[in-house]
Amino acid sequence: MASFGDWCDEVEAEVNGHKLHLVTLKDDHDAVAQENAVEILPDHYAAPEQVAHVLERLGKEAAAEYLHQKLPTRPSLRSGDLGEIFATEYIEERTAFSAPVKRLRWRDHREMAMRGDDAIGLRPAAEGRPINFLKVEAKSEAALTTRTVTRAREALDGDGGLPSQHALAFIADRLREMGEEDLSDAILKAQLVDGIATAQVQHLLFTFSGNDPNNFLRTDLDGCGDAIPQNGVGLRIADHQDFIRRVFEEVFGE
């Protein structure tokens, strides 16, 4: 886990009836943040059991190369990936949803961006409540801009604000492969039989930036209606670009 509490301060506020979370790196906690990021990053690109299998059959160098071939080398992709990884970890640690599918494991090519919803959080059905979904857009920039937040909002509002059909089918297929058949069936039933109502959906706009995301996210939330509950989360690490470079270099062993 990213263990945000070990290296971040978090402030929560209500904006226009929605939730805003500002998550900021604590002073003198750069090393802790980097260590935690290095620890979680490989798991998002390759299943531990597969890495262990390569290690057992082919040795340490082959296992390291197997992982390295999955990691992007382009700075822009590394930035976007780490933003998505932090968003996924945040869902697991700080929300009522889970994000069991680490979608970067299924990337077509390590230097190609993935399409579709950045993440889908799941909250299984309980007595009197159907399955709920968290539709997520994650953005990572050294200097966050209004244009970037606007693009994220447009993506969240797409498909009537619901998770895309492609994203739901992808998650259901991966969960079945992982042995999570009941949860996979519940997603398919909601998607193909019952239909998904806006009351079953929340949005999460997650930003990872070097500058202060407060005003950008507040403006975004101010413009949202009340049909779908909104969550704005801004993670700030001032040396954004250097931090990403150090994390990937350590994973690569450079």
Side-chain angles (χ1 to χ4, degrees):
M1 299 179 71
S3 302
F4 291 99
D6 290 348
W7 49 278
C8 287
D9 290 319
E10 182 167 353
V11 177
E12 180 180 346
E14 183 176 305
V15 179
N16 190 27
H18 304 297
K19 294 179 180 179
L20 171 64
H21 297 260
L22 300 174
V23 186
T24 307
L25 177 66
K26 296 177 182 178
D27 291 341
D28 302 320
H29 280 67
D30 304 64
V32 178
Q34 181 176 328
E35 179 182 348
N36 286 13
V38 167
E39 183 177 345
I40 64 172
L41 189 141
D43 185 52
H44 283 263
Y45 289 99
E49 57 270 23
Q50 179 63 15
V51 177
H53 175 78
V54 176
L55 176 64
E56 179 182 355
R57 293 296 183 91
L58 301 174
K60 183 177 179 179
E61 290 186 5
E65 181 60 21
Y66 172 78
L67 176 60
H68 290 171
Q69 288 181 359
K70 289 180 169 289
L71 301 178
T73 61
R74 288 164 47 195
S76 60
L77 274 177
R78 289 181 172 187
S79 174
D81 281 6
L82 194 53
E84 184 173 319
I85 289 168
F86 276 141
T88 302
E89 295 287 323
Y90 189 91
I91 294 167
E92 290 284 355
E93 289 188 32
R94 300 298 180 95
T95 77
F97 295 84
S98 66
V101 175
K102 297 177 172 64
R103 73 174 197 144
L104 293 176
R105 294 179 182 178
W106 288 273
R107 170 178 268 153
D108 291 338
H109 188 285
R110 69 177 183 173
E111 304 297 358
M112 292 177 60
M114 295 190 74
R115 293 172 293 176
D117 300 332
D118 289 338
I120 299 291
L122 304 170
R123 190 181 181 197
E127 186 174 352
R129 176 182 56 74
I131 185 171
N132 280 196
F133 301 91
L134 182 67
K135 184 177 182 180
V136 182
E137 276 295 311
K139 296 297 182 183
S140 176
E141 287 186 335
L144 189 66
T145 65
T146 297
R147 181 171 179 268
T148 296
V149 174
T150 299
R151 290 204 315 268
R153 174 55 52 197
E154 290 171 351
L156 287 171
D157 288 342
D159 295 293
L162 305 181
S164 71
Q165 298 295 316
H166 171 78
L168 291 172
F170 175 83
I171 297 237
D173 289 348
R174 301 294 79 77
L175 286 170
R176 185 168 299 279
E177 293 168 357
M178 294 160 60
E180 298 284 348
E181 294 189 0
D182 288 345
L183 187 52
S184 175
D185 287 344
I187 293 171
L188 292 177
K189 184 172 183 292
Q191 177 186 11
L192 304 173
V193 179
D194 299 334
I196 299 172
T198 55
Q200 292 172 250
V201 179
Q202 292 187 34
H203 288 169
L204 170 60
L205 199 168
F206 186 98
T207 65
F208 170 39
S209 65
N211 60 337
D212 187 350
N214 181 31
N215 289 338
F216 299 104
L217 293 177
R218 281 183 178 273
T219 299
D220 173 69
L221 293 175
D222 269 331
C224 292
D226 58 5
I228 297 177
Q230 303 293 327
N231 303 273
V233 178
L235 171 62
R236 184 185 185 190
I237 296 180
D239 64 340
H240 178 273
Q241 294 292 293
D242 285 340
F243 178 82
I244 296 168
R245 177 185 54 77
R246 294 195 306 269
V247 167
F248 276 88
E249 284 180 355
E250 185 170 345
V251 174
F252 266 109
E254 296 174 353

